[in-house]
Amino acid sequence: MCGRYSITTAPEAMRHLFDVETGLNLEPRWNMAPTQAAPVIKLMTEGPARGHRVLAMMRWGLVPSWAKDTDIGVKMINARAETVDEKPAFRGAYRYRRCVIPADGFYEWRTEGKVKQPYRVVRRDRAPFGFAGLWELWEGTGEGSALETFTIVTTDATESIAHIHHRMPVMLFDRDAFATWMGPDKDAAGQLMLPCDPGLVEAYPVDRRVGNVRNDDAGLVEPITPKPKPPKPMQGSLF
DNA sequence: CCAGACGTTGTT
DNA sequence: GTCTGG
DNA sequence: CCAGACGTTGTT
DNA sequence: GTCTGG
């Protein structure tokens, strides 16, 4: 699945790749976590700019419009591609509010013996990409409580990373895919919800510090070389 | 009809 | 074990 | 997703 | 809001 990712791409490169203007001052994020505000590309749904692409900061964890409070969002950080067209929590967003979340890697944890080892999944060419996402507007009760939130669509893991984890986010690799995903044709968008070509991605182990959301620095994306096990002390004496 | 859920992952 | 915070 | 808390009373 | 369970 996808519960942590990175987006360190320079704003200028993001504007170019996603064809969207932004006045936002985007700092690199090596450790984006649920409930945090992340840059998301959507189409304006109303007003004179209707249909235009915009980059907005949204909270990760979709809060449906009918929710009494925003707590439910924590449980909605991912949406299964297989059921996104049916589930009450996602159906409306899937039909009308598909979005693209800029990223340049995501993290998956694998339990290895006693430790949970994090891996970072990236494109083999190290280029940024987009996650297929859905967004919602939650207006709450009072004035000024409006909140935009998003979720990341997941599918089966592609073969090259399946040894780490059996699910992965739906990845969009180029401008055509971004346009189709956000476009009006729901069924065309649905065709994109597949595991990616295994040749396009790879995974490598990273520092376990990424587990703590308070850590957010460039060291988190550096490959680590697994520590060799300390040699066992000699049992008995040879002499 | 009303009440209550509405989600995913991983593990057993 | 389960919930909350980030 | 993981990490870290998980509680109350009274006193300062 | 809308679906499911009873």
Side-chain angles (χ1 to χ4, degrees):
Chain A
M1 52 121 51
C2 181
R4 217 69 78 76
Y5 68 94
S6 60
I7 175 60
T8 67
T9 309
E12 198 49 49
M14 270 172 56
R15 276 179 211 119
H16 182 242
L17 177 59
F18 298 105
D19 190 26
V20 67
E21 286 303 316
T22 173
L24 299 174
N25 181 26
L26 297 169
E27 296 295 326
R29 294 296 312 276
W30 296 273
N31 196 5
M32 186 72 78
T35 75
Q36 296 180 347
V40 174
I41 294 145
K42 64 162 181 173
L43 303 183
M44 292 295 291
T45 51
E46 37 188 46
R50 195 161 198 274
H52 285 227
R53 274 186 202 188
V54 290
L55 188 73
M57 298 302 288
M58 297 189 195
R59 197 180 92 160
W60 186 6
L62 187 141
V63 178
S65 55
W66 41 259
K68 290 186 191 70
D69 58 60
T70 64
D71 292 354
I72 194 171
V74 183
K75 302 175 185 174
M76 310 267 189
I77 64 171
N78 294 132
R80 290 176 63 85
E82 296 88 337
T83 54
V84 81
D85 203 8
E86 309 154 15
K87 295 288 185 182
F90 299 130
R91 204 176 59 170
Y94 176 62
R95 202 171 299 177
Y96 300 114
R97 290 176 299 281
R98 297 183 299 277
C99 60
V100 173
I101 299 109
D104 59 6
F106 61 92
Y107 300 98
E108 300 284 9
W109 280 259
R110 181 169 74 151
T111 303
E112 299 174 350
K114 291 170 191 164
V115 304
K116 278 185 131 174
Q117 178 60 50
Y119 287 78
R120 182 167 184 250
V121 180
V122 293
R123 285 176 64 154
R124 283 195 177 149
D125 62 10
R126 297 302 190 270
F129 53 88
F131 293 130
L134 312 174
W135 69 276
E136 270 288 358
L137 174 65
W138 182 82
E139 299 188 83
T141 43
E143 298 285 317
S145 56
L147 181 71
E148 286 183 330
T149 61
F150 73 95
T151 190
I152 296 173
V153 179
T154 63
T155 184
D156 283 325
T158 194
E159 168 267 324
S160 53
I161 58 171
H163 60 292
I164 306 298
H165 207 75
H166 71 108
R167 301 287 291 176
M168 70 180 292
V170 172
M171 298 173 72
L172 307 173
F173 289 87
D174 54 47
R175 290 180 181 78
D176 283 351
F178 307 147
T180 301
W181 178 250
M182 291 189 289
D185 187 341
K186 173 171 75 83
D187 297 315
Q191 300 293 312
L192 300 174
M193 297 195 295
L194 296 168
C196 72
D197 179 337
L200 294 181
V201 293
E202 64 188 24
Y204 61 87
V206 293
D207 197 309
R208 285 163 60 195
R209 286 191 311 115
V210 75
N212 191 327
V213 300
R214 285 174 230 268
N215 295 323
D216 188 21
D217 58 80
L220 301 182
V221 302
E222 290 303 314
I224 59 160
T225 47
K227 283 181 190 168
K229 284 181 182 171
K232 279 187 178 175
M234 233 31 119
Q235 294 300 310
S237 172
L238 292 173
F239 302 102

